[in-house]
Amino acid sequence: MSVIEKVAYLKGLADGLELDADTKEGKLFGAIIDALEEIAEEIEEINDNALDIGDELDALSDDLAEVEDIVYDCCCECEDDDDYDDYDDEDEDEDDDDFDYDDEDFEVSVVCPACNNELIIDSSVLEMGQIDCPNCGETLEFEFDDDDDEDEDIEE
């Protein structure tokens, strides 16, 4: 049962009571029912508008999907084309600059000069300065300057 139907039912009940419209109570019930009718009509209109907006939104969504298909299909075709000049590699480089490298957590591959065994050494071992090769027992020493790393970053 819709809001309009409920208000019509209440109006019928009030008419069935045969209230005198000249009394205070009759005027009150009449004003309440009139207000309820107006509210019900407004609600119905708002619901209709909402449904219309939903339909229009669905149509816009479908149109946007068609435009996206056209645009993305074009971009995919253009990337394969040698004459594609609109693609900007600088945007990707800028994203790399935003990445914060943690200098404390890294691994290095080292080859033992005595047995040619490859070792993967993490930053904590490098900070110790030396390690014994687990294969032959040769002591491997590590030296590095923080200044060299900073100079490389500046040169890039």
Side-chain angles (χ1 to χ4, degrees), residues 74-134:
C74 175
C75 287
C76 292
E77 292 169 7
C78 293
E79 287 177 2
D80 296 336
D81 189 5
D82 292 336
D83 297 330
Y84 182 66
D85 294 329
D86 295 334
Y87 185 74
D88 189 6
D89 288 333
E90 292 177 10
D91 290 340
E92 289 183 10
D93 293 340
E94 290 174 7
D95 292 341
D96 292 341
D97 293 341
D98 294 337
F99 185 76
D100 185 22
Y101 294 99
D102 187 3
D103 291 337
E104 296 178 11
D105 290 333
F106 61 90
E107 294 181 339
V108 176
S109 173
V110 177
V111 176
C112 176
C115 67
N116 291 329
N117 184 31
E118 182 179 4
L119 306 170
I120 306 295
I121 299 175
D122 67 6
S123 58
S124 63
V125 173
L126 285 176
E127 289 176 7
M128 291 188 314
Q130 70 180 19
I131 187 174
D132 292 335
C133 176

Side-chain angles (χ1 to χ4, degrees), residues 14-51:
D15 288 342
L17 291 176
E18 298 178 2
L19 295 174
D20 186 11
D22 294 331
T23 64
K24 293 178 184 179
E25 293 83 11
K27 289 179 185 179
L28 176 65
F29 281 118
I32 290 173
I33 291 173
D34 290 343
L36 288 174
E37 282 179 328
E38 289 179 27
I39 292 170
E41 289 171 4
E42 289 290 326
I43 290 173
E44 192 73 25
E45 186 176 331
I46 290 170
N47 284 339
D48 290 343
N49 288 339
L51 291 173

